[in-house]
C-alpha cells in the first residue's frame, strides 16, 4: 500500500533510520526535523523494548540534561559521549565542507550568516555527523565553499574521530565516502529524479545507474509520528509542530 507520508514526514523517518544504533544524539535549537527524527527513533525503540536513545535538544527544558548550554555539550562530545549531531550550512560542497559565515571574498562578504559557533569542533569529535538541508539547489550545494567553517575531510596525520556520515536534503539521501572524499547518492525521494538532482547540485557525486527510491514509512510509523512525536515537538518547536499538523489536516 502506498504511504501517505508528506515530504517532511519522509525526512523525519529517514533521519530516524540514519540514527539507528546511536546511544546519544544532540540536536540544535533550530532543528525541528532532526529533533523529530531522533524522537521518533526513541519512541520506536521504547515500543520494541530495546535500549533507550538519549536525546539532548539545546534550548529544550524537557529534552536536555545539560544545565550550562554549549559548555557541557562540547565537554560531552570531546569525551566521546555524543554519537550523532546535525550540521547545515549556507553552502555545502562536494568534500562536505560547510560554510556558515557568508558568500564572497572574506571578510568583504556579500551575504553574512550567523557564524560557525562550535561546528568545526563538533565535526571533528562526533562520529556520525549528518548534514541536513531541506532546500536542495545550486545556491547551497556548490563546487567549492567560499569559506570553510568546518572541513569535511582532514589531511593524513590529523587526529579526528568525527566527520560526515550522510547528507539528507529535500530531494535525496547521500552517504559520504571518506576513502574517495566525496558523496554518493543512495536514494531519491518520491517525486524527484536523478537528472533533477544533477541539475540542482553544484558538485559531482557517485551513484548507481538507477538509484533506489527512499524508503517510505509504514502507516504505523506515521501514526506514531502524528501523535506522540508531534506532542513532544510542541514543547521546543511549537511553530513547526503547528505547521506540520496543519499540513497533515489539509492532506487528509
Amino acid at each position: 500500500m502506498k504511504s501517505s507520508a508528506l515530504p517532511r514526514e519522509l525526512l523525519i523517518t529517514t533521519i530516524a533510520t540514519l540514527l539507528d544504533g546511536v546511544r546519544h544524539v544532540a540536536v540544535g535549537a533550530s532543528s525541528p526535523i532532526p529533533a523529530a527524527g531522533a524522537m521518533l527513533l526513541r519512541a520506536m525503540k521504547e515500543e520494541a523494548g530495546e535500549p533507550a536513545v538519549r536525546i539532548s535538544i539545546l534550548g529544550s527544558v524537557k529534552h536536555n540534561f545539560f544545565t550550562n548550554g554549549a559548555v557541557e555539550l562540547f565537554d560531552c562530545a570531546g569525551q566521546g559521549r555524543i554519537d550523532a549531531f546535525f550540521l547545515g550550512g549556507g553552502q555545502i560542497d562536494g568534500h562536505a565542507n560547510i560554510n556558515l559565515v557568508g558568500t564572497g571574498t572574506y571578510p568583504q562578504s556579500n551575504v553574512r550568516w550567523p557564524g560557525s559557533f562550535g561546528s568545526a569542533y563538533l565535526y571533528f569529535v562526533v562520529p556520525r555527523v549528518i548534514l541536513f538541508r531541506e532546500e536542495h539547489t545550486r545556491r547551497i550545494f556548490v563546487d567549492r565553499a567560499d569559506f570553510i567553517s568546518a572541513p569535511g575531510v582532514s589531511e593524513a596525520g590529523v587526529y579526528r574521530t568525527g566527520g560526515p556520515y550522510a547528507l539528507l536534503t529535500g530531494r535525496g539521501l547521500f552517504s559520504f565516502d571518506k576513502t574517495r572524499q566525496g558523496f554518493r547518492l543512495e536514494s531519491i525521494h518520491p517525486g524527484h529524479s536523478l537528472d533533477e538532482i544533477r541539475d540542482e547540485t553544484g558538485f559531482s557525486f557517485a551513484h548507481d545507474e538507477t538509484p533506489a527510491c527512499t524508503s517510505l514509512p509504514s502507516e504505523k510509523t506515521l501514526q506514531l509520528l502524528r501523535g506522540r512525536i508531534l506532542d513532544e515537538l510542541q514543547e521546543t518547536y511549537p511553530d513547526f509542530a503547528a505547521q506540520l499538523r496543519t499540513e497533515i489536516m489539509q492532506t487528509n
Side-chain angles (χ1 to χ4, degrees), residues 68-213:
N68 195 21
V71 174
E72 289 173 292
L73 168 67
F74 295 156
D75 284 348
C76 196
Q79 294 165 15
R81 294 164 51 207
I82 293 180
D83 303 307
F85 190 71
F86 297 87
L87 286 175
Q91 290 180 330
I92 299 174
D93 69 23
H95 294 297
N97 298 315
I98 65 173
N99 178 2
L100 291 161
V101 173
T103 61
T105 304
Y106 185 82
Q108 300 301 320
S109 301
N110 301 321
V111 177
R112 291 298 301 269
W113 294 315
S116 305
F117 190 51
S119 58
Y121 171 74
L122 293 171
Y123 216 6
F124 270 72
V125 298
V126 177
R128 194 180 301 192
V129 176
I130 298 170
L131 304 178
F132 175 73
R133 277 304 304 256
E134 194 171 0
E135 179 185 341
H136 187 142
T137 64
R138 284 178 175 265
R139 184 178 73 89
I140 295 168
F141 298 106
V142 297
D143 179 55
R144 183 177 181 180
D146 291 1
F147 183 88
I148 298 177
S149 298
V153 296
S154 300
E155 297 179 358
V158 174
Y159 181 73
R160 181 170 186 170
T161 58
Y165 176 75
L167 165 65
L168 178 64
T169 79
R171 300 181 193 268
L173 170 65
F174 299 78
S175 61
F176 188 78
D177 185 349
K178 294 181 180 179
T179 59
R180 56 177 292 272
Q181 299 186 352
F183 289 105
R184 175 182 175 81
L185 179 64
E186 297 294 340
S187 67
I188 300 173
H189 303 334
H192 301 283
S193 69
L194 177 58
D195 286 342
E196 174 191 328
I197 291 177
R198 280 196 189 116
D199 289 343
E200 294 296 343
T201 306
F203 55 79
S204 60
F205 53 87
H207 58 83
D208 290 338
E209 183 177 351
T210 304
C213 182

Side-chain angles (χ1 to χ4, degrees), residues 1-5 217-226:
M1 183 173 63
K2 184 179 179 180
S3 173
S4 60
S218 66
E219 290 302 318
K220 180 180 179 181
T221 299
L222 282 179
Q223 289 176 8
L224 183 60
L225 171 55
R226 294 173 177 179

